[in-house]
Amino acid sequence: MKNVSVTFTLNGDLVTAEVPATWTLLKTLREYFELTGTKEGCGVGECGACTVIIDGNAVSSCIYPILEVEGTSVTTIEGVADKNGALHPLQKAFLENNGVQCGFCTSGMIMSAKALLDHNPKPTKDQIRTSIAGNFCRCTGYVQIVDSIEKAVEMIKEKK
Amino acid sequence: MSDLLYVGKNIPRTIEVDKVTGRAIYINDLKRPGMLYGKILYSKYAHAKIKSIDTSKAEKLPGVRAVLSGYTIPDVRVGFLKDQTVLKKGVVRQFRDEVAAVAAISEEIAEEALDLIDVEYEERPAVFDPAEAMKEGAVLIHEVDARGKPITSNIIPLPWKFKAGDIEQGRKDSAYVVKDNLATTWVNQCCMGTSGCVAEFDMNNNLTLYNQTNVPFLDKQRITEYLAAIGLKGKNVRVVNVTVGGSFGTKLDTDIYEFISIQLALKTRKPVKILFSREEEFRALPPRQPARFTIEQGCDKDGRLTFRKCEALLDNGAYTSWGVTTPSVMMMPMSSLYRVPNVSFEATCVYTNNIYCQAMRGYGNPQATFAVEVSMDRLAEKTGIDPAELRLINSNKSGDLTPMRLKITSCGLEECINSVKKSLDWDNKKSKNRKRGLGMASLIHVAGGARVYLSDGHGIMIKVDQNGHVDVLESGTDQGQGSPTVISQIIAESLGFRPEDISLTFGDTGLCLWDAGTHASRHTFMAGNAAIRACESAKRQILQIAVEKMPRLIKNNVKREQKKNPNFLEPELDYDMISDPEKLDIKNRMVFPKAAPDHKYFRFEVSDILRSGLHVGIGESKVVVAEAFYDPPTEMLDREMKGNLSLTYAFGTTGVEVEVDEETGKVTIVNLFAAHDVGKAINPTLVKGQIYGAAYIGAGYALTEEMLVENGRVMNPNFRDYKMLTAKDVIPVEPIIIETDERDGPFGAKGIGEPGLVPTAPAIANAIYDAIGVRINDLPITPEKIITALKEKKKQD
């Protein structure tokens, strides 16, 4: 199968991937760019573990065709901390409030939450729950994930 | 113990920063040089004869490196009762039977190769109902046992019979008796990270298995036995855990895919990864054991329990994993939840052509407690005693010896019941509101180890280097519960260091000492106790170095002072207070005399002490290394299934308020209070995390989760059709932490991994009854069942 060439912005860098046209964004991230922080939990867009942000929107990368990525800006969990390695308030809050247990859903969970906070810096609890409704977690019962996102909101507010 | 610096504090999970930055390596992410991808071909029938397997087309596909079947690998039996082979030969007995396996250079090619394998089957009659399978003349699932002896019945010969006291006497002493049938079904553990491993042999045929097991050492043992049986006797097996994407019991057994990856790696001489798809996770991973109960209970006119008699029927499926051993845990609530003098429990496990089962959080306890606690509510109704009061009348107490010979040490059950009552405003709200209802249920569970193997031990090794960094070889595993944080808190506290000074390696049989496994809510208790003991030794070693080297360090400091200030006079120092390790202590990395903790000259950073002990010349250098092996003084169950298998027990009560929409059958949980006797919360935020998560799975068990298995086939192998609760299904769990300061626990702690799940479903079931006056006795309690039951009730009214 012939490879296609797809150029897009990945975590702030302009990149080009040469991959089979049938590949998904998830496969390209994991196999081509070796960014394995984005996880596959179901492969059919049902569990949210593979969530990344494309042009500001949280999407399931496991069902996102790579050809659709041309010219977009993609952020993955690896691009959430700043270039100096300082953690994003969401990452800090997840560690401080037990928003992470096994961690398998965490990348996707943080990306969904980040997409929300980037648009809406003062979300209600209900908006927070809606933003992660497509992100499944088997460990936490979601309570401390919601806590973590609320704490991150406060941290971001204080920083400003 | 109020001066604790780290234990009891909400230390953040900073040590796990890799998990929030995408850097943690799960099995999905692990790539070894030259690695191949393995895929498994499963049976097309629930029961059939394999007439032929033709793998020739698959073998010719470019990129395929090996195709194996039951006809090309040694015929070695594996599993708890050694009732199956790795790849099946002759007969398939369930849809998930592994018929062939492929290793290829990519997952896609491996999958393509599976399609090219031709298997010819001759379908056989099958049996899917354990009650049918028990009957004489039923289709036999197995013809011979592990020793080749003919089998004449599908009933598995297992010793699940428990008797204490005299049931007939208990019956005579009863003023009230209730009898009920209850059932629970298959539910999937639904780890977000699916199953998988990477097997890799070196050129000497020693095996490294990168895995995500809960039981590295038992895994190693089983695989070592398997290797010996296939002709690789004496070869080493190193099991190395990567970051584990959840377990909930799935990683307690050595699964068939592990053996298959080993066979493929052996055949190809390359590392081979097998990673399940989500569909495989639903179809080919053993879920929670279903059970049907007939339970009878009585009490006297004052509400004191007189007897409890229960018979359980378990659908074993076609082979045995840990599912059939769940009755050993069911016995605990059956015999010991509340004081009951006369007990009989008998479980029958029957082979069928269904999927087989294994462990899931709580083992058999959620199933059995569902039966016991619904029965308790029924008894309360019959006697006219308030259900909470009935539970208080019969509550376990500290110092009790239960009919199973469990020795109850600390026991917070009464406090749990009372605190839930208070939180729910039970006395004012119970049975008062149509459509709203209250219910409660309690639990007992092992919380101080569980002697299910002859050794219930846990080993730990600690080394402290010259920079004052602490490396810990921790024999357990972390599947997300937060052990890196909790164990580092315990070590920091015990050693006088800070949590950030500590690095831990988990679950590597090549480095760590034996551990029976991270199961049975035992890890904090066992590893904590082992860590405290190892820290005592390491601390003593550091203080011994301090006693030897401090005088010289002090002299050096004085000299330095004199260099700066020639008039400086050496002060009169009482060297006696640093003359013995007993007289010294360490806190926050500072070594100091107990008699004068802030002493200007006698206070040293620990790395100064450690370096002074190391860089001293030939023959005198000292390194600090300590190990401890903790194996609690508990008992294996005897032939009568009695014995104190845990050093302490967890108690808890869940109280629920529900609202039921009688039109739609929808149940809304308005309040859920989960009170747990945790002994001591080492890290309250993490303890709450265990309770939140467990209660959530418990609520799903009660209301939504069920694997639909039709004629042996899983019909809903995906998250769209298998209904886990999501962030939008708000379950307002409020943990209530009761601390009883368990004398044998590390800093007073008990295990809390499983308890939160156990009483959730019966508490919800009891609340639903309180709301609508009908009982649904088979889980899950779906809207359809509620509407049907309400219609039925209307007809009868």
Side-chain angles (χ1 to χ4, degrees):
Chain A
M1 198 186 305
K2 255 182 94 178
N3 283 348
V4 292
S5 174
V6 181
T7 301
F8 60 105
T9 305
L10 177 56
N11 297 330
D13 298 327
L14 194 65
V15 297
T16 299
E18 308 268 345
V19 297
T22 53
W23 278 26
T24 61
L25 173 57
L26 176 66
K27 195 162 169 86
T28 308
L29 290 172
R30 292 180 56 87
E31 304 284 327
Y32 189 87
F33 293 105
E34 297 188 340
L35 294 175
T36 55
T38 308
K39 303 299 181 204
E40 177 174 319
C42 70
V44 289
E46 288 169 359
C47 79
C50 65
T51 306
V52 299
I53 297 176
I54 302 183
D55 293 338
N57 299 313
V59 301
S60 293
S61 64
C62 76
I63 49 169
Y64 207 92
I66 190 62
L67 284 170
E68 300 281 311
V69 181
E70 177 71 37
T72 65
S73 175
V74 176
T75 309
T76 70
I77 188 68
E78 290 89 349
V80 174
D82 77 14
K83 295 273 177 201
N84 302 319
L87 296 184
H88 185 277
L90 277 165
Q91 293 171 312
K92 257 191 238 168
F94 269 64
L95 291 174
E96 285 169 9
N97 299 284
N98 207 27
V100 53
Q101 285 195 31
C102 88
F104 200 87
C105 75
T106 305
S107 301
M109 206 60 91
I110 288 177
M111 298 320 288
S112 286
K114 185 172 185 301
L116 170 72
L117 301 194
D118 288 349
H119 287 292
N120 176 4
K122 285 185 205 162
T124 62
K125 206 177 201 118
D126 196 52
Q127 286 169 328
I128 291 174
R129 284 194 174 264
T130 302
S131 77
I132 56 163
N135 293 83
F136 290 4
C137 167
R138 194 56 160 172
C139 300
T140 64
Y142 303 99
V143 180
Q144 290 173 322
I145 289 178
V146 175
D147 284 353
S148 301
I149 298 170
E150 286 183 320
K151 293 279 161 53
V153 169
E154 282 168 34
M155 279 190 235
I156 293 168
K157 227 188 286 172
E158 279 162 25
K159 239 175 39 181
K160 277 179 184 166
Chain B
M1 289 211 284
S2 57
D3 58 343
L4 295 175
L5 288 175
Y6 304 110
V7 164
K9 304 288 193 304
N10 293 318
I11 304 292
R13 298 176 75 135
T14 313
I15 197 166
E16 292 177 271
V17 66
D18 280 1
K19 286 185 178 176
V20 297
T21 48
R23 296 169 59 95
I25 301 295
Y26 297 79
I27 201 73
N28 315 54
D29 313 321
L30 183 70
K31 226 176 214 175
R32 299 285 303 159
M35 189 174 85
L36 302 173
Y37 297 84
K39 289 276 171 198
I40 300 166
L41 181 71
Y42 299 100
S43 170
K44 276 194 178 145
Y45 294 92
H47 200 186
K49 191 177 163 205
I50 300 174
K51 287 177 73 182
S52 65
I53 298 183
D54 181 0
T55 57
S56 56
K57 273 184 271 171
E59 280 160 31
K60 284 183 201 129
L61 184 72
V64 169
R65 294 288 181 268
V67 185
L68 301 175
S69 76
Y71 298 87
T72 59
I73 66 167
D75 212 4
V76 171
R77 284 170 170 257
V78 295
F80 173 58
L81 291 183
K82 299 268 186 286
D83 55 6
Q84 63 177 317
T85 54
V86 170
L87 293 169
K88 277 54 180 179
K89 196 175 164 183
V91 180
V92 286
R93 298 177 177 85
Q94 51 168 0
F95 280 106
R96 65 150 286 188
D97 264 5
E98 298 83 355
V99 173
V102 172
I105 56 169
S106 76
E107 277 190 284
E108 291 81 357
I109 293 172
E111 253 159 40
E112 205 183 328
L114 290 186
D115 290 339
L116 297 175
I117 299 172
D118 288 322
V119 187
E120 213 185 320
Y121 297 96
E122 184 182 298
E123 197 175 359
R124 284 186 171 184
V127 60
F128 303 107
D129 183 327
E132 290 298 315
M134 283 171 75
K135 288 181 184 162
E136 219 171 295
V139 173
L140 274 184
I141 311 300
H142 292 273
E143 273 137 20
V144 293
D145 69 8
R147 290 181 189 155
K149 268 199 346 208
I151 289 176
T152 54
S153 160
N154 289 319
I155 298 173
I156 304 173
L158 287 163
W160 306 138
K161 256 185 209 174
F162 177 89
K163 276 193 171 35
D166 182 345
I167 292 291
E168 285 319 307
Q169 188 57 48
R171 213 186 282 279
K172 276 183 207 154
D173 297 340
S174 303
Y176 306 95
V177 173
V178 290
K179 187 173 181 180
D180 294 281
N181 293 313
L182 296 111
T184 68
T185 189
W186 292 279
V187 294
N188 194 278
Q189 295 86 349
C190 292
C191 301
M192 291 314 298
T194 54
S195 303
C197 64
V198 177
E200 178 171 356
F201 283 93
D202 68 12
M203 295 314 282
N204 293 322
N205 278 338
N206 295 309
L207 171 70
T208 300
L209 187 68
Y210 299 93
N211 209 351
Q212 31 183 358
T213 177
N214 288 17
V215 288
F217 290 88
L218 288 166
D219 207 35
K220 171 178 174 147
Q221 193 168 308
R222 295 172 195 139
I223 292 165
T224 303
E225 283 167 21
Y226 179 72
L227 290 187
I230 64 169
L232 295 175
K233 199 167 179 220
K235 296 301 173 186
N236 187 29
V237 177
R238 179 175 179 185
V239 176
V240 183
N241 256 21
V242 292
T243 311
V244 182
S247 167
F248 313 108
T250 54
K251 280 102 182 170
L252 239 60
D253 205 351
T254 299
D255 273 294
I256 300 303
Y257 70 83
E258 295 176 56
F259 295 112
I260 292 175
S261 71
I262 290 166
Q263 281 291 352
L264 291 170
L266 193 60
K267 175 82 179 173
T268 58
R269 310 306 310 175
K270 297 275 191 225
V272 175
K273 179 193 276 195
I274 289 182
L275 179 67
F276 273 15
S277 67
R278 181 56 58 187
E279 186 177 336
E280 269 180 305
E281 192 81 0
F282 275 107
R283 291 197 193 280
L285 194 79
R288 185 191 286 289
Q289 177 69 50
R292 300 176 192 173
F293 298 99
T294 301
I295 184 166
E296 205 180 352
Q297 253 190 137
C299 68
D300 65 17
K301 63 177 182 10
D302 300 322
R304 274 187 213 95
L305 291 175
T306 45
F307 80 96
R308 186 181 289 158
K309 182 171 187 277
C310 182
E311 281 163 10
L313 178 60
L314 274 62
D315 182 342
N316 178 70
Y319 308 104
T320 51
S321 173
W322 297 126
V324 292
T325 69
T326 53
S328 65
V329 173
M330 292 178 181
M331 282 174 198
M332 187 169 45
M334 286 292 171
S335 68
S336 306
L337 178 57
Y338 307 117
R339 289 170 157 179
V340 51
N342 305 300
V343 182
S344 165
F345 174 70
E346 201 169 322
T348 308
C349 306
V350 187
Y351 280 124
T352 68
N353 292 110
N354 279 322
I355 46 176
Y356 62 93
C357 298
Q358 64 175 334
M360 183 172 170
R361 202 173 195 173
Y363 225 70
N365 203 339
Q367 295 95 312
T369 297
F370 176 61
V372 170
E373 281 292 28
V374 169
S375 171
M376 283 297 283
D377 248 42
R378 291 255 300 124
L379 196 57
E381 192 179 13
K382 196 144 189 186
T383 59
I385 298 171
D386 173 77
E389 187 55 31
L390 185 74
R391 289 176 170 90
L392 284 167
I393 290 168
N394 293 289
S395 174
N396 306 87
K397 288 187 175 61
S398 181
D400 281 1
L401 182 68
T402 78
M404 199 179 165
R405 282 217 322 265
L406 312 182
K407 292 175 191 160
I408 307 304
T409 55
S410 51
C411 175
L413 182 55
E414 278 176 302
E415 216 181 325
C416 289
I417 296 172
N418 281 322
S419 62
V420 160
K421 257 187 85 176
K422 197 172 154 211
S423 300
L424 282 174
D425 195 13
W426 181 272
D427 291 335
N428 290 318
K429 281 162 92 178
K430 175 82 168 104
S431 310
K432 294 287 160 54
N433 189 341
R434 202 172 140 70
K435 292 179 189 171
R436 277 216 176 184
L438 301 189
M440 69 161 62
S442 300
L443 89 133
I444 180 173
H445 200 70
V446 291
R451 192 167 294 275
V452 289
Y453 307 103
L454 275 171
S455 170
D456 194 31
H458 180 102
I460 202 163
M461 283 191 277
I462 294 178
K463 76 179 177 69
V464 189
D465 67 24
Q466 77 278 14
N467 302 313
H469 193 84
V470 184
D471 281 294
V472 181
L473 300 179
E474 226 277 23
S475 317
T477 62
D478 184 59
Q479 42 266 11
Q481 71 271 27
S483 295
T485 302
V486 168
I487 300 305
S488 61
Q489 283 176 263
I490 289 174
I491 291 174
E493 194 73 62
S494 308
L495 202 58
F497 282 56
R498 305 164 308 176
E500 57 264 40
D501 299 325
I502 298 162
S503 304
L504 300 107
T505 299
F506 281 88
D508 181 338
T509 63
L511 300 175
C512 305
L513 298 168
W514 158 267
D515 170 52
T518 302
H519 59 83
S521 304
R522 74 190 276 284
H523 185 258
T524 297
F525 187 92
M526 305 298 293
N529 271 324
I532 288 169
R533 285 155 175 78
C535 286
E536 272 170 26
S537 162
K539 191 170 175 179
R540 211 177 310 119
Q541 294 174 44
I542 297 169
L543 295 180
Q544 183 60 45
I545 297 172
V547 165
E548 290 165 21
K549 305 298 174 192
M550 257 167 123
R552 207 192 64 198
L553 291 173
I554 294 161
K555 291 255 151 58
N556 288 347
N557 283 349
V558 168
K559 268 189 214 155
R560 216 167 288 139
E561 201 78 37
Q562 283 168 338
K563 241 188 203 165
K564 270 193 273 174
N565 176 8
N567 298 330
F568 181 80
L569 290 176
E570 186 173 345
E572 288 265 329
L573 293 174
D574 177 9
Y575 280 89
D576 183 59
M577 65 170 84
I578 57 165
S579 62
D580 188 310
E582 292 296 317
K583 294 179 180 173
L584 297 172
D585 202 357
I586 313 173
K587 218 158 223 171
N588 258 332
R589 295 177 64 94
M590 298 303 289
V591 181
F592 55 85
K594 286 176 188 165
D598 297 320
H599 198 286
K600 195 178 165 200
Y601 293 94
F602 290 172
R603 204 176 148 81
F604 288 91
E605 221 283 336
V606 72
S607 57
D608 292 337
I609 301 285
L610 289 161
R611 268 197 311 277
S612 73
L614 188 69
H615 298 297
V616 286
I618 296 163
E620 277 183 59
S621 292
K622 277 187 181 158
V623 293
V624 175
V625 56
E627 50 81 21
F629 187 70
Y630 176 71
D631 201 3
T634 48
E635 301 162 357
M636 284 288 273
L637 297 184
D638 64 15
R639 284 188 177 179
E640 292 187 328
M641 297 288 139
K642 292 171 187 166
N644 191 44
L645 76 164
S646 183
L647 208 48
T648 186
Y649 298 87
F651 292 91
T653 304
T654 293
V656 182
E657 180 173 8
V658 297
E659 187 169 302
V660 184
D661 183 330
E662 297 200 358
E663 295 295 310
T664 62
K666 186 177 161 46
V667 176
T668 305
I669 296 177
V670 183
N671 281 298
L672 192 157
F673 295 97
H676 288 276
D677 166 9
V678 304
K680 161 88 184 169
I682 304 284
N683 185 323
T685 299
L686 266 61
V687 166
K688 284 181 191 164
Q690 288 300 304
I691 297 171
Y692 287 127
Y696 228 81
I697 297 180
Y701 193 43
L703 298 174
T704 61
E705 288 190 33
E706 108 185 89
M707 292 175 73
L708 301 166
V709 182
E710 272 178 36
N711 292 336
R713 194 192 286 276
V714 180
M715 304 304 285
N716 55 343
N718 56 66
F719 285 139
R720 197 177 53 249
D721 300 319
Y722 183 90
K723 295 292 179 196
M724 278 203 294
L725 296 171
T726 72
K728 283 297 270 180
D729 304 296
V730 183
I731 309 291
V733 181
E734 286 290 339
I736 300 169
I737 294 177
I738 307 285
E739 295 192 320
T740 51
D741 198 13
E742 166 54 38
R743 63 171 195 215
D744 291 316
F747 295 95
K750 298 183 181 186
I752 187 62
E754 297 161 285
L757 197 157
V758 176
T760 313
I764 292 171
N766 289 338
I768 291 171
Y769 175 75
D770 191 47
I772 58 172
V774 293
R775 282 212 174 267
I776 315 293
N777 279 352
D778 58 322
L779 296 180
I781 305 174
T782 57
E784 295 77 23
K785 286 182 192 169
I786 288 175
I787 290 168
T788 309
L790 281 171
K791 272 187 194 154
E792 196 63 34
K793 191 186 166 223
K794 249 186 204 159
K795 256 192 245 163
Q796 283 171 6
D797 290 349

